[in-house]
Amino acid sequence: MKKKLKYAIVAVVILAISFLYAHVDKKIPIYDSGIDTSYYGNMGVLDADYCVSQEFVCERPVLDGVSIKCGIIGNPVTAVYQYQIIDAASGDVLREGTVDGSQVQNSRYYTIRFEQIKECDGRELIFTFRSEDSSPENALTVYNVPKGEENADLYLNGDEFPGNTLALRTVSHLFDLETFVSVTFCLVYLYIFIKILYKFFS
């Protein structure tokens, strides 16, 4: 009886740890990820005269952020950029905030996190990105990817930027079954291995 109880406790602990670790960030590109990066372009210097808008459809039930590939113009970049997440159907601003240009690395993805937006699966959203204090010598740029069949229109100052999509990924913090199974397997393997070692040296 005690042995069964011990195994039950071990099983509960393993499953609890696996469940906690299985909540991970899932990043889904809104662009065609099969396109070679040598074909990526950029939107030019995003100084105070420019605003980028990207329409996209969220594929997960929640949205916790976006990850966008940026470049820097100037060293260091001190400009601050403003972003918004807008509901395309209603025009309501769901989330907004700022990005400190000095925290962005050149040619790397920068993740913007915000309070979780729920009921997002299949929802059309708009991401906007602009700055009021940037200049041609102190600015960021964002990368664009040749457009495939994705439903994601890109605009620069309200004018369509045809044939391209931002190099942007949606970020959703969710339970992932594959991670749960992998972590559970590793913990069970570790437990069995420790038991064998204990018996070997005792």
Side-chain angles (χ1 to χ4, degrees):
M1 187 66 178
K2 287 184 178 180
K3 195 171 185 179
K4 289 183 179 179
L5 180 61
K6 182 181 74 173
Y7 285 138
I9 292 172
V10 170
V12 168
V13 170
I14 288 175
L15 291 175
I17 294 173
S18 299
F19 181 78
L20 291 174
Y21 271 91
H23 285 78
V24 296
D25 282 345
K26 298 291 288 184
K27 296 182 178 181
I28 301 177
I30 67 166
Y31 56 92
D32 185 350
S33 58
I35 294 177
D36 191 280
T37 55
S38 62
Y39 291 101
Y40 286 22
N42 66 67
M43 303 294 291
V45 180
L46 298 181
D47 60 25
D49 293 328
Y50 294 95
C51 175
V52 173
S53 301
Q54 174 67 67
E55 297 178 355
F56 65 96
V57 176
C58 190
E59 298 181 8
R60 294 282 176 165
V62 298
L63 183 66
D64 293 273
V66 294
S67 182
I68 184 169
K69 189 171 185 179
C70 298
I72 61 174
I73 295 100
N75 190 18
V77 174
T78 59
V80 175
Y81 281 75
Q82 294 78 40
Y83 72 85
Q84 290 183 327
I85 301 293
I86 301 170
D87 183 276
S90 67
D92 293 339
V93 177
L94 304 178
R95 297 291 184 270
E96 59 184 344
T98 59
V99 173
D100 183 351
S102 65
Q103 301 301 310
V104 176
Q105 294 181 307
N106 194 37
S107 300
R108 301 290 295 274
Y109 281 87
Y110 179 84
T111 299
I112 301 171
R113 295 187 180 275
F114 42 75
E115 184 181 345
Q116 187 177 85
I117 304 173
K118 302 182 185 299
E119 299 179 354
C120 286
D121 193 11
R123 191 175 184 180
E124 187 173 347
L125 301 171
I126 303 171
F127 169 77
T128 69
F129 195 65
R130 66 179 304 164
S131 174
E132 296 178 354
D133 66 348
S134 58
S135 67
E137 297 79 28
N138 176 32
L140 297 177
T141 187
V142 287
Y143 283 78
N144 55 279
V145 183
K147 191 173 182 179
E149 298 182 358
E150 62 270 17
N151 181 24
D153 293 328
L154 176 62
Y155 297 87
L156 183 63
N157 284 357
D159 296 324
E160 188 173 358
F161 201 81
N164 288 274
T165 306
L166 279 189
L168 183 147
R169 303 165 178 167
T170 59
V171 180
S172 301
H173 193 74
L174 291 168
F175 174 79
D176 183 64
L177 181 61
E178 184 178 345
T179 303
F180 177 78
V181 172
S182 298
V183 174
T184 301
F185 176 80
C186 290
L187 289 176
V188 170
Y189 179 83
L190 182 62
Y191 174 73
I192 294 173
F193 181 71
I194 292 173
K195 281 201 61 147
I196 293 173
L197 283 180
Y198 178 77
K199 287 182 179 181
F200 183 78
F201 288 106
S202 62

